[in-house]
Amino acid sequence: MESFVYEADSFQVTAEMKEQFERDGYVIIRSVLSDEELRRLKEALEHDDGIMKHSYVVGDDKGRCNRMCLWNHPGDDITGMVGRCEKVAGTMEKLLDGEVYHYHTKLMMKEARTGGAFVWHQDYGYWYKNGCLFPHMGTVFIAIDQSDTENGCLKVLKGSHAAGRIEHVMVGGQTGADLERVEHLQKVLLLVDVELSPGDALYFHCNLLHRSDANHSDRRRWAFLIAYNRASNNPVEVHHHPQYTPLIKVSMTQYTSDQGGHDHHTPSTPLIKIQLEHQDPAGTSRSSWEHLDPAGNTKIQLGTPRSSWGHLAAGNTKIQLGTPRSSWEHLDPAGNI
């Protein structure tokens, strides 16, 4: 499997990398995260109680399930630094030929023995519905654990991004690409098992078809995914993912050398931001957040020192916000604001 290797002193996005991304819809770059960076990221994810508290289940048609936790805005902890660093965000900018902003980050947890499968889909199959007019978007998939065919690694159809956006429908309890069209593409395109070592990264186009098998092994398969949108592709609709928000890049080298591990972990609250004119006491923009489950239902959770939360279940359309906010926000069942 063709790939490149990240070398801190000399790495740059070459013409060969860009050509492969445009031709195949992805590039693999090995060792994007150093051992120390990976250790700190893994420690933060495993010890942040908010990850499991705010995660949700994604099931498959065999009764197996994965857990996912998703947030919209990168913070100042190691999880935010990864999404804001040059070798991740900057590389995606070069591959997409323009300034990008952070669209969201998610932790995908496919546990040993119980982790489920994902059907064929394109990320733009969903993001198109969010008012993103052009497929100028991509994701960086970073392996936290070894990812191979035994524990349900990602599979891609090489070059399938060139087929454009495919209609997405319900497939096996998930939203997936139209299977008839996928079957035709499978006859002419190469299926690639994306096997990654911890710290390796797959940079892929939003129209690349991908899926994964269930995890029947005794090893979990966690992955850290950062999605980006081009600044020029600002969504024309306000949705549960953010409008253009300038990305302030950071140096991972400075972060990992100047700061000490978990003691400096100030979590990027792992939820989706609701745009309200309010700042939390810490002065950050993380004022209130919504959490979407796979069915599009919305939960609002509020932590200390904020006073109360409402809960939006299927069919309900009001969220009550606590002090000091006396107004009501109105969401439709699809999660639109």
Side-chain angles (χ1 to χ4, degrees), residues 33 37 40-46 48 51 71 73-85 88 102 105-107 142 144 224-226 228 250 252 255 264-270 286:
L33 295 187
E37 290 164 353
R40 290 173 185 261
L41 177 59
K42 189 175 179 179
E43 181 183 71
L45 296 173
E46 291 177 341
D48 183 354
I51 294 291
W71 56 97
H73 295 278
D76 295 327
D77 67 316
I78 183 67
T79 68
M81 298 300 105
V82 172
R84 293 164 55 193
C85 71
V88 177
H102 180 271
T105 292
K106 63 185 175 185
L107 174 65
I142 301 175
I144 301 298
F224 189 73
L225 291 78
I226 311 105
Y228 297 96
V250 296
M252 282 293 289
Y255 180 83
H264 292 271
H265 178 217
T266 54
S268 310
T269 306
R286 295 192 301 273

Side-chain angles (χ1 to χ4, degrees), residues 163-180:
R165 184 183 71 88
I166 297 170
E167 190 65 28
H168 279 55
V169 297
M170 292 303 296
V171 179
Q174 299 176 12
T175 303
D178 177 69
L179 286 180
E180 182 178 357

Side-chain angles (χ1 to χ4, degrees), residues 44-45 48-55 69 71 107 109 222 270:
L45 296 173
D48 183 354
D49 293 338
I51 294 291
M52 293 307 297
K53 178 181 177 182
H54 300 301
S55 65
C69 187
W71 56 97
L107 174 65
M109 296 166 276
W222 280 23

